[in-house]
Amino acid sequence: MTRQLLTGNGAAAWAARLAKVDYVPAFPITPQTEIIETLSAWFDNGEIPGRMTTLESEQSMITAAGAAAITGVRVFTATSSQGLLYGMEMLYTVAGWRAPFVMINVSRGLSAPLTLEPDHNDILAARDSGFLQIHCATCQEVLDSTLIAYRLAEHEKVRLPVIVNQDGFYLSFTREPVEIPDPALAARFVGQFDPENTQLRASAPTSQAVAVLGGSPYSYFRYELHLAAQQALDVYDEVAAEFAEQFGRDYSAIESYRIDDAEFAFVMMGCFATKAKEAVDRLRDIGWRIGLVRPRLLRPFPEQALHDALADKKAIAIIDQNISMGKGGVLHTEVASALYGAKAAPLLTSYIGGLGGRDISQEELFEIANQLKQAVEKGSAPPPRLLYTAGELREMRKLQAIAHVERQELKLGEESDNDQGEGND
Amino acid sequence: MYRIRFHGRGGQGMKTASRILSNAFFLGGYEVQDAPRYGAERRGAPIFAYVRAAKQPINERGIINRPDLVIVADDSLVAIPAAGVLQGIGPQTVLMINSHEAARTWEERLNVPGQVLILPVTEEVEDRAELPFLGTTCAGAAARLIGIIPLEHLQQAIRDELAHLGTEIVEKNLQQAAEAYELAAEYAGKVIEGTEISAQDYAKPEWIDMPFEVASISAPTIHTGLTSELAATGTWRTMRPVIDYQLCNRCWWVCSEFCPDGAITVDDEGYPQIDLDQCKGCMICVAQCPPHAIEAVAESVAQLAEATEATEATEAVGDKS
């Protein structure tokens, strides 16, 4: 099999092509736009059949994606950050319709202040929407996960939309060697979309957007959605095993790296986790027993797998590239829930790092490992920490000094205006 | 692992340079990673692109902080701190600058531990963002400095990456790259593969506990319009609007109204004045001026003219005394 250099965005577009998608509703947003640009060029020059429509917003785009999926065509779409949030109402709605399709989210930090660079607060805002979530760490994984996602979304036990997440810049604009699966093999793996009873037709109108009054029918529908999401755990394992058999690449629900004999572990999501792999290797070089666990699936949450991988460790550092205001790292909370009640449960330490694309250095990962060791010696975990240095605060102070001077100038300006006003009286 | 950074301005082909180099590594059996990094996606804005190459799978990601090779396509970027050209340059780093000036001049000026080499391809062109084939030239020189990339892999990489531009342009690029590859022969293999940071002996991060500050300080509010004045966006300019006051008909409003940055004011006599600290060089005024009294001049040419004028003025004063 030959490999070629592809960005994460290029890999996502290739996955849509290999999955033979019929319909792509689209709306541009940095750093996702390259995906729809690539697909639109292929549609335009006839390399792939199907249809792309540009919509006037992400809210309409997700509505179109859900509506098309329930007519029985295979749908692909992509967004990022503010776009995902703009479509948030429809995320919950189309998941409620049980409309199966795949959407790529290219993670980017949320406003305010506005940024272009990545963190996971955008995708985590969609955590409870009913969309399943697969988080990727390499460009190859973006392509492969998207193929797996179609199988998962369209499976009769599941039938839910799936988001495949990749980090902006660090994957979306980064080229790596990617093996593009043979189109015939990929098509056979993904298979035909069997929409079962969901074939909405213009000639035979049905309603997806039913209203229910009273909590009882509402509870039924919402809990069925939850049960379907839970079923997706086993289905994912089956589909991933089949993928591994056919293509030789293993994508279990959690990635475990050098974890079996480890006393300590890093837990991270997304492509910054590969940085922690590097740190694990360097720490192992000098005798540490440390590993990495990376949840690929966030919804459904692979609770048992995380428990099994982590419960016997001495201490774990959960590094969240997100922040829940007034609580802290989201993954930290989730991992804690998976480990609660475990006998001799490990000490959990919480770090917030990589917000808005802020780098996490190897030195910081080494230092986190040292803090784990110290926590075990002390028998208690240190308080949660933002990865942020004195040098960064100094730079921030310089910016604030400029802002302060402006405020003073503004204030003095107002005062002199007032003085003139008094003089005129 | 080899770690390489290319610095240039939007439009100079640094992303292309990084892609050619990484593709050439890849053809030689290396695992690679290449990526551009830009804030504002705008011609003339400082950008950089980076390449990692190793025999093993690459787990490192993001900006390269300890480069083995830094190539600077546009020497005017060195003086702009935000461009980050000098970031992480160590004793092992090779710094290659496209410049008219000598390596020794740059070494003295910068006082950095690495070795400075000159890429002597700077040409006078209308718009610096349009320096032809600069990307392939930089990739060609980089390939030779690294020393382990054969010319045929460089050429194949150029054919792969630029195929969409057509045969004629590909051929010109192949020629430029081959010339740069030859030019750098003297320093072939100068770039040495960097080592990994040891987990035993590393610089401890100076973490701090974030202090709480009230919203009047900690909200991301721009309180006045003055911030844009304090940022000298004039450094972004690759072209400069120059007013011919003989032709200006003192309409008093067209150029100043159309200027998107409010960088043109009109004086008491009705003549426009351009604030060159703020003018980004968009040339909208040039397009709008009814009597065509504003000319677009390459910034490098305008600066040279200014310097000459200043020298002449000094000499003239000297003559009088």
Side-chain angles (χ1 to χ4, degrees), chain A residues 3 176 367 370 397 406, chain B residues 31 34 61 202 213 227:
Chain A
R3 299 191 301 161
E176 295 176 337
E367 191 59 19
N370 275 316
R397 291 296 184 230
E406 284 161 13
Chain B
E31 292 296 314
D34 65 63
R61 287 196 177 277
Y202 62 91
E213 288 169 349
T227 46

Side-chain angles (χ1 to χ4, degrees), chain A residues 135-137 141 253-256 268-270 273 292-296:
Chain A
H135 290 250
C136 302
E141 196 175 345
I254 63 166
E255 179 187 18
S256 300
M268 294 174 80
M269 285 196 305
L292 163 79
V293 167
R294 175 174 70 88
R296 281 198 180 88

Side-chain angles (χ1 to χ4, degrees), chain A residues 5 7 24 85 116 148 169 191 213 222 262 329 336 386 406 415:
Chain A
L5 299 178
T7 60
V24 180
L85 263 66
L116 297 175
I148 291 171
F169 286 81
L213 295 178
R222 299 304 286 176
L386 173 73
E406 284 161 13
E415 276 167 17

Side-chain angles (χ1 to χ4, degrees), chain A residues 3 5 7 113 116-117 137-138 169-171 173-177 271 274-275 277-278 282-283 286 359 363-364 366-368 370-371 385-390 393 397 400 402 406-407 409-410, chain B residues 19 22-23 26 31-39 41 50 59-63 65 161 196-200 202-211 213 216-217 220 223-224 226-227 230:
Chain A
R3 299 191 301 161
L5 299 178
T7 60
L116 297 175
E117 295 183 61
T138 66
F169 286 81
Y170 290 83
L171 285 184
F173 296 161
T174 299
R175 288 200 318 178
E176 295 176 337
C271 78
T274 67
K275 289 167 172 277
K277 272 189 179 178
E278 178 72 18
R282 298 290 78 78
L283 287 160
I286 58 164
D359 200 16
E363 290 91 335
E364 288 186 311
F366 298 152
E367 191 59 19
I368 289 170
N370 275 316
Q371 290 201 340
R385 166 168 292 290
L386 173 73
L387 301 184
Y388 200 81
T389 62
L393 189 62
R397 291 296 184 230
Q400 287 177 317
I402 295 171
E406 284 161 13
R407 256 172 268 168
E409 284 175 5
L410 187 68
Chain B
R19 288 188 158 198
S22 109
N23 197 330
F26 185 55
E31 292 296 314
V32 295
Q33 187 189 79
D34 65 63
R37 189 57 78 100
Y38 23 73
E41 294 177 43
Y50 52 84
N59 284 321
E60 266 188 26
R61 287 196 177 277
I63 295 166
N65 290 315
E161 299 295 340
E196 316 310 323
I197 302 170
S198 154
Q200 197 127 47
Y202 62 91
K204 249 184 151 175
E206 275 186 76
W207 286 333
I208 46 130
D209 292 325
M210 185 70 89
E213 288 169 349
S216 57
I217 292 170
H223 294 267
T224 78
L226 290 174
T227 46
L230 288 167

Side-chain angles (χ1 to χ4, degrees), chain A residues 94-160:
Chain A
V94 299
W97 294 352
R98 309 292 297 273
F101 64 93
V102 177
M103 177 160 81
I104 302 285
N105 184 64
V106 183
S107 263
R108 165 183 151 187
L110 295 172
S111 186
L114 194 72
T115 184
L116 297 175
E117 295 183 61
D119 67 37
H120 298 150
N121 265 104
D122 61 348
I123 183 66
L124 289 175
R127 184 188 62 174
D128 305 332
S129 64
F131 272 67
L132 308 180
Q133 292 193 7
I134 305 176
H135 290 250
C136 302
T138 66
C139 297
Q140 181 75 59
E141 196 175 345
V142 171
L143 194 160
D144 295 344
S145 297
T146 306
L147 299 179
I148 291 171
Y150 276 103
R151 287 285 301 275
L152 190 61
E154 295 168 5
H155 197 280
E156 60 174 355
K157 286 187 187 163
V158 179
R159 232 178 70 196
L160 284 170

